[in-house]
Amino acid sequence: MCEDTFIHHYGSMSFGKESETLKQLYLTNYSKFKQKWKIDPVYDYGIKYELLQFVQPESVEKRLNVLAIGAKSGGTILELINNYPNTQVDVIEENCYAALSVSNFANVVSVSKNDIEHLQRNNYDYILIEEAINYIENPNSLLLKLKQMLKKEGKLIGIIENKMYYKKVFNLLEGKRSLENDSEGDKIVNRLYNAYEITELFLQCGYHNVKVAGVRSDTIEEDEYQKILKIKDFVPQTELNYFLYSGYVVIGMKE
């Protein structure tokens, strides 16, 4: 991610020795890092290429104004700047530790999604919502406000979890965890959407040319795949992919 940084590792096979001990050390320090910085070094520094593929300016040199919401520690934003160096990025990030990290290469304008009225209207070419829209307290209100901040033909690109994802369905059927909880069971989902409901949400908020693209996040074991086929038998009119997508990327344009 940091293309101006060079790291040289002195040594040879140290990572190959005592692999089990090293694994435990890694897990211990991984937990310490999360506890100290309130940042997950595996997920919060990741690059969401599924969002970036829809950032398509006329040229690499074009100046872009971008608003990023829920940017975590900025992996996606830094990759965007690497690809389009003339990009100015404003960030809304509620995690103060992550916001501090992002402030090295972007402008942190707010720590709350509820405090965006002061942002300039008709200003942004793209608005990226990295945090799943499902967890936003009032998505309709936020999407309406954000539309006002887009330039004409500007695009909002966001991620939404799929309520029909097979793992969610399996958990519900097995009584392990309700659909209202995420994979860690510690965050309540305020809204649950399928592909049709996502499109309707954006259309109701006045976006145009709404497109929804499915995201596959893992490989599926054969026994799981057979279970999915059995579930699909109950709803034969539903496409199989609706159960395979962990989420969707939704793109809406301001007219």
Side-chain angles (χ1 to χ4, degrees), residues 47-174:
I47 301 173
K48 290 189 166 55
Y49 291 102
E50 61 268 30
L51 291 180
L52 294 181
Q53 66 177 317
F54 296 104
V55 177
Q56 301 170 336
E58 295 89 350
S59 69
V60 174
E61 293 77 22
K62 179 178 173 61
R63 177 176 174 81
L64 296 178
N65 285 338
V66 176
L67 175 64
I69 299 176
K72 302 300 182 185
S73 296
T76 303
I77 298 308
L78 191 51
E79 180 70 4
L80 176 65
I81 296 172
N82 288 336
N83 293 334
Y84 305 103
N86 293 323
T87 299
Q88 168 66 43
V89 183
D90 292 336
V91 173
I92 296 174
E93 174 52 58
E94 296 181 346
N95 182 321
C96 61
Y97 295 97
L100 183 62
S101 175
V102 174
S103 67
N104 287 297
F105 47 85
N107 178 36
V108 178
V109 296
S110 177
V111 295
S112 173
K113 294 183 289 291
N114 299 318
D115 181 31
I116 60 175
E117 283 78 4
H118 67 284
L119 295 179
Q120 185 176 343
R121 296 190 178 193
N122 306 308
N123 183 49
Y124 296 106
D125 300 283
Y126 293 94
I127 296 177
L128 305 181
I129 304 181
E130 290 194 51
E131 175 187 6
I133 294 174
N134 312 70
Y135 299 115
I136 294 173
E137 185 175 348
N138 192 332
N140 295 69
S141 176
L142 180 64
L143 291 174
L144 286 168
K145 292 176 182 177
L146 293 176
K147 183 163 65 72
Q148 296 176 344
M149 296 166 192
L150 283 170
K151 294 179 181 177
K152 182 180 179 181
E153 297 187 350
K155 293 181 180 179
L156 186 148
I157 308 171
I159 292 176
I160 298 186
E161 291 184 0
N162 174 24
K163 74 176 181 182
M164 295 178 66
Y165 183 42
Y166 75 93
K167 288 188 177 180
K168 291 183 180 294
V169 176
F170 286 176
N171 283 341
L172 184 65
L173 293 175
E174 296 171 5

Side-chain angles (χ1 to χ4, degrees), residues 50 53 162 165-166 213-221 225 228 240-249:
E50 61 268 30
Q53 66 177 317
N162 174 24
Y165 183 42
Y166 75 93
V215 177
R216 294 277 296 272
S217 61
D218 53 10
T219 56
I220 302 173
E221 300 294 335
Y225 188 74
I228 296 169
L240 180 63
N241 278 333
Y242 288 173
F243 296 105
L244 304 181
Y245 294 140
S246 60
Y248 295 95
V249 175

Side-chain angles (χ1 to χ4, degrees), residues 5-18:
T5 301
F6 176 78
I7 298 174
H8 181 85
H9 173 229
Y10 288 91
S12 54
M13 300 297 292
S14 59
F15 286 107
K17 298 175 182 178
E18 302 180 17

